Amino acid sequence: MADKALIAPYGLEPTRRPARSASYRRVLLCALGGVLLITQANWLLKTGPVSVKIPLHAEEALQKCRVLDIPPGPPPDFHLRKESDRFVPGTKATLIKNATIWTGGESGKEVVTGDLLLDKGIVKAIGRVGADVIASFNVDELTSYDVEGAWVSPGIVDLHSHIGVGSAPHLSGSSDTNSHAGITQPWLRSLDGLNSHDDSYRLSISGGVTTALVLPGSANAIGGQGFVIKLRPTAEKSPSSMLLEPPFSLNGTEVDPSLPPRWRQMKHACGENPSRVYSGTRMDTIWAFRQAYEKARQIKESQDDYCVQALAGNWNGLGSFPEDLQWEALVDVLRGRVKVQNHCYEAVDLDGIVRLTNEFKFSIAAFHHAHETYLVPDLLKKAYGHPPAIAMFATNGRYKREAWRGSEFAARILADNGLDVVMKSDHSVLNSRYLLHEAQQAHYYGLSDNLALAAVTSTPATVMGEDHRIGFIKLGYDADIVVWDSNPLAIGATPKQVWIDGIAQLASPFTAEKPASLQRVPKTPNFDKEAADAVKYDGLPPLDPETSTKGTVVFANVSDVYIRSGSSLERVFTATSTENPGAVVVQEGKVVCMGLEWACLVGDIRENAIVRDLEGGSVAPGLVSYGSPLGLRHIPSEASTTDGFVIDPLLSKVPNILGGDDAVIRASDGLLFGSRDALIGYRSGVTSAITAPVTRGLFSGLAVAFSTGAAHKLQKGAIIQDATSIHVVISMASSVSVSTQIATLRRLLLGAGGGELGAEFKKVAEGSLTLVVAVENADIIASLIALKSEVEESTGTRLKITISGATEAHLLAAEIAEASIGVIVTPARPFPSSWELRRVLPGLPLSQDSNIGVLLSHNVTVGVGSSAQWSVRNARFDVAWAALESHQELSKTEALALGSVNVETLLGVESEDVDLVATKGGSLLDFESKVVGIISPGRGLVDLL
């Protein structure tokens, strides 16, 4: 990216006479032909025998015929515009000075250093902005913003979002993502369900997202029409006023029929979702597609036949122009005027859709999710018209069967095969505020930097047909601009300011100074072998270590070593210079020497050891996963691959043979070792997990701590601690009232329980067992604090209570600290998905501090968890990001503790045999390092990866 840095000779250009495009000429010729035809018909009526009766609707029908096959696109003089159609009168011009501008040009390799002038809602100058241009503005007409070399990019473009139709917080009254009224419904429109009060708009803008394609959901084979919106609030406050280039006239927006039409968007879906919703099979879904497209083809052919006669003046018996409001959008698909966005995962479904496109002669704009596309690139190239782009997640996979073979290397593999790659959010499956993080991860796993940033800017803009105005920083393009606090591909990159249509969106943004190391494009590790194996093994490469040894292993060229010391971490070694690197020597899984190489590598140790050069990397305690059902599920949506759910006594009758209402379930009894999520987590430095039984009610059970790299339960070191803590869930989402849940907990803590449940809560009341309460809402947390005080006053014993989830804990940070309650924030970055999570503390740039930062500032012991098992692998990045975002300046030791020793302490883990992780090229928290080894004293070996 940076190799193209230059000062471009860009500036304000003189107005030029627009070139006439081929489509423009076709429109003009057709119009002239129509005029001649009507003139001839009128002449015949006046001068000769009446043989043809011209209907009253003739001109309207001819107009439709003339434009049937005009391809969509901008008007030929679009780039000569002086003002955006979305310009808000009174908006000041903005001069962004001293910027490092990633323009999206030159295949994403162009970087311009200089200034950027925004005026009238568009980009007016890039690079050098002359003094005469600046002087042309009155003082009160121009705002200058010196960004001091900061990175600037086009606004983030989300190709797949349900923002507004699946609103946050989720409420039944605003759930408009899917219709279940029929498997093919091309007549539905996401615009008709777009909620302008979604809390997500503000949050997503704060992550740099400026434009989103809002699609219907994937319940149906044909779910309906999508619409492109700008996320900024408008004076009209209506969904229609958010639209970018609506394809037809609505609410006063007129589309000139003499100009090329605008692109439309359509959602398709195949595979598991339509099958599940309509109790069908893949065969049923493909047949539904074929039926719908056959209907559309019949209408299209009847229109074509009609127009042949109408344009020839043969009106006798012709009747009205054949059209059907329900099917007109699908007819437009066949005419090449609709961007089809197709949710499709597996090769079997991809193949079915490719065949469909060739049968009915239409193109797919993009396959979405598309977890197996990297395995079948040649198939994609057989699609009608052109190969589809691939809109995907970076690492989100294995959550259902059709996502089982997803790979973190898919983006780079697809790009290597010449296919366009887009990273998307599927908001709110992923919070689109962090869509840029998908590009960062794709880059980490091997996608080139220019294509990674393009994957959330210029490529999605091109795929949706809006690349004539968004996705790039070019003269005349929409003034959708983001100034970043670090390189956009660096972990935790956050906007300092966002402009949409030239309007600044962040009223009083909070910023933090990022280190110089984050101002450049990260150097990514080498994953060539792993990427090749993903293809070689058809998406399921072996996840076993390259070598497991009890012998001597030397980790050389070590910069830092961290170890656990009681309930904290300690840095015990730091290399003072590259000339005096450190070494760690391991025998039978135990560290026997750590220090300078000359002190540890004595005698013939090197000759009798496996040596790994860490290239300035580090050795640190492994991270600990908590918050997901890791170890109890292989494929979450497939019940036959999971441990299942606990029977809750408040919701159901518990069988007497189980112990009735006094039963306590142990997660250790249901552990499923060797899941791909666990093994991928292990290879990413998450060496252990603490997992509680999965419940739909109040009672969960006793959690277990286990090794994520173990093969089975009986293997040495597989079970770290059989029972760590007892877990309950208190939520407003339960069918039982919160007050009932609290009352039940009160009775148990005050000794009213019997049997095994009573015995375990007696331990809690005595302070010997940790009680972990999953809770999000501040009001419920307040009730728990009061309950803790009440029980402690009654028993005279200090309780050990940890709350997890804790989205609204920042509102009670002082009270939580005073009550000596620990907190595991899960997930690390908040989203107001439901009512009880709505009071998020968003963090930079919307607030100076984060939930984690506020808790730490009150000396609360804080851990960081993962809410989904697929995301366990990203724990190291979550911890690094949390540390960067905290207003408290955390040392690397304190940051590492957030994801390791703090979690163990808060969940009652007492083992001292802590695994250590060796990383190459940086520390465990660096976005440039790679995990290459696990030192496991509990299992007495070293795994080399």
Side-chain angles (χ1 to χ4, degrees):
M1 182 187 294
D3 60 348
K4 295 290 289 186
L6 53 95
I7 298 178
Y10 297 162
L12 297 171
E13 295 185 351
T15 301
R16 297 188 179 92
R17 182 186 179 99
R20 301 301 187 184
S21 68
S23 61
Y24 180 88
R25 290 193 296 271
R26 284 197 297 271
V27 172
L28 185 60
L29 289 173
C30 287
L32 290 173
V35 171
L36 289 173
L37 181 64
I38 294 299
T39 302
Q40 181 185 34
N42 289 334
W43 180 82
L44 288 172
L45 285 171
K46 293 178 181 178
T47 63
V50 179
S51 58
V52 177
K53 183 178 180 180
I54 307 297
L56 294 176
H57 64 265
E59 181 55 35
E60 179 184 350
L62 287 171
Q63 174 65 23
K64 291 178 179 179
C65 290
R66 287 193 289 267
V67 300
L68 276 184
D69 295 311
I70 302 299
D77 60 350
F78 181 84
H79 289 298
L80 299 179
R81 61 180 181 157
K82 300 300 181 184
E83 179 179 303
S84 171
D85 53 317
R86 294 181 52 82
F87 172 63
V88 176
T91 303
K92 289 184 178 182
T94 299
L95 179 64
I96 303 172
K97 300 191 298 183
N98 299 318
T100 306
I101 307 166
W102 186 89
T103 69
E106 301 290 337
S107 299
K109 296 180 180 179
E110 182 183 59
V111 176
V112 175
T113 57
D115 305 334
L116 189 59
L117 178 63
L118 316 178
D119 188 29
K120 305 295 185 184
I122 61 177
V123 175
K124 287 294 184 74
I126 310 168
R128 292 194 183 98
V129 180
D132 57 329
V133 174
I134 298 173
S136 68
F137 293 93
N138 294 327
V139 175
D140 60 347
E141 293 176 336
L142 179 68
T143 299
S144 293
Y145 186 25
D146 190 339
V147 299
E148 300 177 337
W151 284 91
V152 174
S153 79
I156 302 297
V157 179
D158 193 351
L159 188 66
H160 186 142
S161 179
H162 304 294
I163 195 169
V165 293
S167 298
H170 173 77
L171 296 168
S172 60
S174 59
S175 181
D176 291 294
T177 306
N178 284 296
S179 166
H180 292 178
I183 193 169
T184 55
Q185 301 184 82
W187 48 86
L188 298 183
R189 307 183 301 180
S190 65
L191 174 64
D192 298 325
L194 191 67
N195 175 14
S196 58
H197 301 294
D198 190 335
D199 286 356
S200 301
Y201 295 126
R202 171 174 171 264
L203 294 172
S204 294
I205 289 171
S206 76
V209 181
T210 57
T211 306
L213 170 55
V214 181
L215 294 168
S218 54
N220 308 313
I222 302 179
Q225 301 162 49
F227 286 79
V228 180
I229 66 169
K230 293 283 191 83
L231 269 59
R232 70 170 175 84
T234 65
E236 187 178 295
K237 300 182 180 180
S238 70
S240 295
S241 64
M242 300 173 73
L243 294 178
L244 178 65
E245 295 199 348
F248 39 75
S249 301
L250 52 90
N251 290 12
T253 299
E254 295 302 321
V255 176
D256 187 342
S258 69
L259 296 175
R262 294 169 170 178
W263 280 108
R264 304 175 72 178
Q265 313 287 332
M266 177 79 73
K267 177 68 178 292
H268 286 6
C270 50
E272 292 183 27
N273 285 19
S275 295
R276 182 184 68 254
V277 172
Y278 292 98
S279 301
T281 66
R282 284 174 164 81
M283 296 182 289
D284 295 306
T285 300
I286 291 295
W287 174 241
F289 273 123
R290 295 182 70 205
Q291 277 187 310
Y293 272 102
E294 179 59 24
K295 174 71 172 177
R297 179 163 64 182
Q298 291 172 1
I299 296 172
K300 175 183 179 295
E301 290 177 351
S302 67
Q303 291 176 348
D304 292 341
D305 292 344
Y306 179 97
C307 288
V308 168
Q309 298 301 318
L311 290 170
N314 300 326
W315 292 101
N316 286 341
L318 203 54
S320 300
F321 182 81
E323 55 189 340
D324 187 321
L325 185 60
Q326 280 192 304
W327 297 99
E328 59 84 22
L330 207 59
V331 174
D332 256 7
V333 172
L334 297 181
R335 295 197 182 279
R337 295 152 70 133
V338 181
K339 297 284 190 176
V340 176
Q341 312 292 344
N342 199 150
H343 161 122
C344 204
Y345 284 77
E346 290 189 272
V348 59
D349 301 312
L350 296 165
D351 186 60
I353 296 298
V354 167
R355 284 187 276 107
L356 186 75
T357 68
N358 285 292
E359 179 180 3
F360 290 96
K361 304 294 185 287
F362 70 95
S363 295
I364 300 292
F367 281 125
H368 291 240
H369 304 308
H371 282 59
E372 291 190 14
T373 49
Y374 73 100
L375 298 173
V376 290
D378 292 336
L379 168 64
L380 305 180
K381 296 174 183 179
K382 294 179 180 179
Y384 182 81
H386 58 79
I390 310 303
M392 59 191 306
F393 299 129
T395 55
N396 186 356
R398 297 167 299 283
Y399 45 86
K400 56 181 175 176
R401 194 196 71 86
E402 62 188 1
W404 181 240
R405 296 172 190 268
S407 172
E408 61 270 40
F409 307 110
R412 65 172 284 180
I413 294 168
L414 288 163
D416 289 345
N417 280 275
L419 295 163
D420 290 332
V421 174
V422 173
M423 311 311 297
K424 48 81 179 163
S425 73
D426 193 13
H427 183 93
S428 59
V429 172
L430 296 183
N431 181 359
S432 63
R433 178 184 180 186
Y434 303 116
L435 178 53
L436 182 64
H437 189 45
E438 296 300 291
Q440 293 167 354
Q441 293 174 80
H443 178 240
Y444 176 80
Y445 289 110
L447 185 65
S448 65
D449 58 352
N450 59 305
L451 295 181
L453 194 47
V456 291
T457 52
S458 55
T459 307
T462 301
V463 172
M464 66 172 62
E466 298 290 348
D467 53 315
H468 57 284
R469 64 183 299 167
I470 64 170
F472 297 83
I473 299 179
K474 294 183 179 181
L475 293 178
Y477 274 59
D478 287 14
D480 298 347
I481 304 294
V482 185
V483 176
W484 301 96
D485 65 5
S486 48
N487 184 279
L489 294 179
I491 188 72
T494 301
K496 289 184 170 183
Q497 185 55 272
V498 179
W499 286 265
I500 302 179
D501 300 322
I503 304 171
Q505 298 298 300
L506 306 176
S508 300
F510 295 92
T511 61
E513 290 299 317
K514 297 290 181 68
S517 60
L518 298 182
Q519 303 304 325
R520 57 173 174 78
V521 177
K523 299 175 183 177
T524 56
N526 187 322
F527 288 106
D528 290 348
K529 181 180 183 303
E530 291 88 341
D533 282 350
V535 176
K536 177 182 178 181
Y537 292 98
D538 203 24
L540 300 174
L543 298 174
D544 301 324
E546 176 186 309
T547 302
S548 291
T549 179
K550 294 179 179 293
T552 302
V553 177
V554 172
F555 293 104
N557 199 359
V558 178
S559 290
D560 298 285
V561 179
Y562 303 84
I563 64 170
R564 178 171 176 171
S565 177
S567 59
S568 62
L569 292 187
E570 181 181 352
R571 184 164 64 180
V572 294
F573 171 79
T574 299
T576 56
S577 68
T578 55
E579 288 76 23
N580 292 295
V584 174
V585 181
V586 185
Q587 294 176 345
E588 295 186 355
K590 297 187 182 297
V591 175
V592 295
C593 184
M594 64 179 77
L596 294 173
E597 283 190 6
W598 65 262
C600 286
L601 304 185
V602 295
D604 59 355
I605 284 183
R606 277 185 180 270
E607 297 176 8
N608 299 314
I610 300 174
V611 180
R612 289 289 187 269
D613 185 348
L614 296 190
E615 298 178 5
S618 72
V619 174
L623 300 178
V624 183
S625 170
Y626 173 74
S628 79
L630 189 71
L632 295 178
R633 293 176 173 175
H634 285 279
I635 306 175
S637 68
E638 294 286 346
S640 64
T641 72
T642 74
D643 175 55
F645 293 91
V646 169
I647 303 172
D648 189 87
L650 289 184
L651 302 177
S652 306
K653 173 68 176 174
V654 181
N656 290 333
I657 194 170
L658 186 59
D661 291 350
D662 295 327
V664 175
I665 305 303
R666 293 172 175 259
S668 62
D669 293 333
L671 275 180
L672 304 169
F673 283 87
S675 74
R676 295 193 72 80
D677 284 320
L679 294 176
I680 291 171
Y682 184 73
R683 298 175 70 90
S684 303
V686 182
T687 58
S688 65
I690 302 166
T691 300
V694 181
T695 181
R696 291 189 173 116
L698 171 65
F699 291 102
S700 173
L702 291 168
V704 61
F706 65 97
S707 169
T708 54
H712 56 78
K713 186 176 185 176
L714 302 181
Q715 190 177 57
K716 179 184 177 182
I719 301 295
I720 298 169
Q721 191 169 318
D722 187 75
T724 65
S725 42
I726 191 163
H727 294 243
V728 298
V729 178
I730 301 182
S731 172
M732 297 162 68
S734 173
S735 59
V736 177
S737 72
V738 170
S739 51
T740 300
Q741 297 170 64
I742 296 284
T744 303
L745 200 57
R746 177 183 290 109
R747 284 178 54 79
L748 289 169
L749 289 170
L750 292 176
E756 190 178 4
L757 185 63
E760 295 298 337
F761 270 90
K762 182 180 180 182
K763 295 177 187 176
V764 174
E766 293 171 346
S768 61
L769 180 67
T770 299
L771 171 65
V772 181
V773 185
V775 57
E776 305 286 359
N777 178 261
D779 297 301
I780 302 176
I781 294 172
S783 293
L784 287 171
I785 292 172
L787 177 60
K788 182 176 187 287
S789 177
E790 176 186 343
V791 174
E792 288 175 344
E793 185 176 344
S794 175
T795 63
T797 304
R798 195 77 162 172
L799 304 185
K800 293 192 290 187
I801 293 182
T802 294
I803 60 175
S804 67
T807 296
E808 295 188 355
H810 61 94
L811 297 171
L812 294 167
E815 291 80 3
I816 290 170
E818 186 177 352
S820 297
I821 293 175
V823 178
I824 300 179
V825 177
T826 309
R829 296 179 295 281
F831 179 69
S833 56
S834 67
W835 190 260
E836 60 187 334
L837 289 78
R838 74 188 189 284
R839 293 175 291 189
V840 301
L841 186 63
L844 301 173
L846 296 178
S847 63
Q848 187 166 1
D849 215 337
S850 64
N851 190 20
I852 291 172
V854 170
L855 292 167
L856 289 173
S857 70
H858 285 82
N859 296 316
V860 175
T861 301
V862 178
V864 173
S866 302
S867 57
Q869 62 190 58
W870 66 264
S871 66
V872 168
R873 67 177 311 149
N874 296 325
R876 54 189 293 224
F877 303 143
D878 291 341
V879 169
W881 196 336
L884 277 172
E885 198 171 60
S886 172
H887 191 54
Q888 308 300 305
E889 290 194 10
L890 300 182
S891 67
K892 189 163 287 188
T893 303
E894 293 169 322
L896 284 165
L898 291 174
S900 57
V901 63
N902 287 11
V903 178
E904 291 177 319
T905 300
L906 291 170
L907 296 176
V909 176
E910 299 172 352
S911 173
E912 289 294 330
D913 284 334
V914 176
D915 288 349
L916 298 173
V917 177
T919 51
K920 182 179 180 179
S923 78
L924 187 56
L925 302 185
D926 290 334
F927 213 36
E928 300 181 336
S929 68
K930 180 180 182 181
V931 175
V932 295
I934 309 292
I935 303 166
S936 182
R939 291 185 291 147
L941 51 79
V942 174
D943 284 333
L944 297 174
L945 308 175

